[in-house]
Amino acid sequence: MAEIVVALDQPNAGEALGFLDRLPDARWVKVGSVLFTREGPALVGALRARNLEIFLDLKWHDIPNTVAGAVRSAADLGVAMATVHTLGGREMMAAARAVAGGIRLVGVTVLTSHDAASFGCAVGRDGVEIGAEALRLAEEAAAAGLAGVVCSPAEAAALRRRLGEGALLVVPGIRPAGAPAYDQRRTATARDAAAAGATHLVVGRPITAARDPAGVLDQLRAEVGAGGA
Ligand code: C5P
């Protein structure tokens, strides 16, 4: 049953916590670099105090020793899931995995802001194909012992086939049927993303900008068959 992870993209802790007051049934939240850089561990503590599971999305990419130190710090904070960049390499991912404790680490493959030309430029190769690169990097993540990857809805089915049953697939770009796409180019409904094999659906504005956030969360849970659980 796919979990709905509410992306806290508010600019500060006051707004994030105020918003969550309107969403008492939330189970998972995503804290990214904007909010974490401003509010830090205190916000994570406040979210833990509300019994929320935290997806800390800081996309670490550094030398293995430094990334391992960041993962250790996150483990002390009690976060449930966190991201590293697969492009940091197998050694970096393995070092992170070795100290992850209870954190499920997922790898970012190809940023969705890249197209083939810009990714090819970054890695110094012509003729790259983004889908194939995402699969290749997901295999690197699996080989390093990560729990799974972050991917777009378009890649979820292929990654599920490639990584097998146990892998976590964390998928943003989720829109309720008929909802605006905002700036996302490749979106999917919660039902379709879950059917493609997603385990965690990251949803921001369809919930955070809704007049009735709790109603939208319920609707999304019903779509993936997790209503009321
Ligand atoms: O508002 P929306 O549902 O588009 O928010 C999706 C969340 O997932 C945002 O926090 C966004 O930064 C994040 N994300 C994404 N696409 C990626 C990686 C992360 O939309 N490829």
Side-chain angles (χ1 to χ4, degrees):
M1 210 85 71
E3 286 285 352
I4 309 294
V5 182
V6 181
L8 296 179
D9 291 323
Q10 292 84 0
N12 58 55
E15 286 190 40
L17 295 172
F19 167 74
L20 286 169
D21 289 340
R22 299 168 60 208
L23 205 59
D25 287 343
R27 284 196 295 256
W28 277 82
V29 291
K30 179 178 85 96
V31 176
S33 55
V34 174
L35 201 47
F36 191 79
T37 301
R38 185 168 297 281
E39 305 289 357
L43 173 63
V44 173
L47 296 170
R48 291 290 299 136
R50 293 178 182 221
N51 287 321
L52 289 160
E53 300 285 352
I54 297 161
F55 172 31
L56 187 62
D57 184 22
L58 300 180
K59 297 187 176 67
W60 292 302
H61 183 172
D62 207 317
I63 60 172
N65 185 58
T66 299
V67 170
V71 171
R72 248 189 237 107
S73 298
D76 290 344
L77 294 180
V79 310
M81 190 161 71
T83 44
V84 298
H85 264 286
T86 56
L87 282 169
R90 211 185 273 195
E91 192 192 335
M92 183 205 81
M93 290 189 278
R97 170 71 191 85
V99 297
I103 302 183
R104 284 171 278 179
L105 286 176
V106 289
V108 175
T109 57
V110 181
L111 291 172
T112 47
S113 49
H114 274 308
D115 59 16
S118 74
F119 188 75
C121 193
V123 297
R125 268 191 286 135
D126 290 329
V128 298
E129 204 272 298
I130 294 283
E133 293 295 319
L135 285 175
R136 183 180 67 73
L137 290 166
E139 282 176 348
E140 287 298 297
L146 296 199
V149 293
V150 182
C151 67
S152 84
E155 294 149 3
L159 283 168
R160 171 59 65 212
R161 282 193 296 276
R162 187 66 68 95
L163 297 179
E165 274 315 302
L168 300 183
L169 291 185
V170 179
V171 178
I174 303 301
R175 297 291 174 261
Y182 296 102
D183 54 357
Q184 298 277 14
R185 291 199 195 125
R186 288 178 299 165
T187 63
T189 64
R191 184 190 307 275
D192 288 348
T199 56
H200 295 76
L201 306 175
V202 178
V203 187
R205 289 159 293 181
I207 295 176
T208 57
R211 218 170 282 158
D212 174 19
V216 176
L217 181 60
D218 283 348
Q219 180 198 333
L220 290 165
R221 283 195 179 135
E223 272 192 50
V224 300

